Amino acid sequence: MFGKIELEKFDGLTKMPQEAASAWSAVEGLVGASYKPLIYLGKQIVKGTDYFFIAEQTLITNPPIRRVVTLAIHGFNGEYNLIGDSVEVVL
């Protein structure tokens, strides 16, 4: 499409700290979109811990829509959940 940025094929993040990898499990199996981690940005200690990522989001549409997003995952007592309103489109 004219004027639209064509995203490259990303290999994804192959190595991250164990606690960030555990947090990333929160996005596996989500319905409607899949995510590939590109960059682990860091964490914030709150009541639990928030983990921040830049990721490739692929919406399950026909044709699939690929976007780059930022997102946060909250971890507390060994459970991890995507912070829904944290997903923001970058590209």
Side-chain angles (χ1 to χ4, degrees), residues 3-62:
K4 181 179 177 188
I5 295 174
E6 293 181 29
L7 295 178
E8 288 295 319
K9 300 284 185 203
F10 299 115
D11 292 332
L13 191 59
T14 57
K15 195 172 186 182
M16 66 178 98
Q18 179 57 50
E19 60 184 333
S22 295
W24 187 256
S25 67
V27 299
E28 295 170 358
L30 290 177
V31 177
S34 63
Y35 295 88
K36 181 188 300 182
L38 302 176
I39 301 170
Y40 169 59
L41 298 171
K43 63 184 178 181
Q44 177 183 28
I45 306 299
V46 291
K47 183 176 180 181
T49 305
D50 291 343
Y51 301 90
F52 297 89
F53 297 87
I54 294 176
E56 176 186 355
Q57 177 191 61
T58 303
L59 299 176
I60 311 302
T61 57
N62 188 12

Side-chain angles (χ1 to χ4, degrees), residues 77-90:
N77 284 341
E79 292 194 23
Y80 300 96
N81 295 291
L82 175 66
I83 302 172
D85 62 352
S86 74
V87 179
E88 294 186 26
V89 176
V90 176

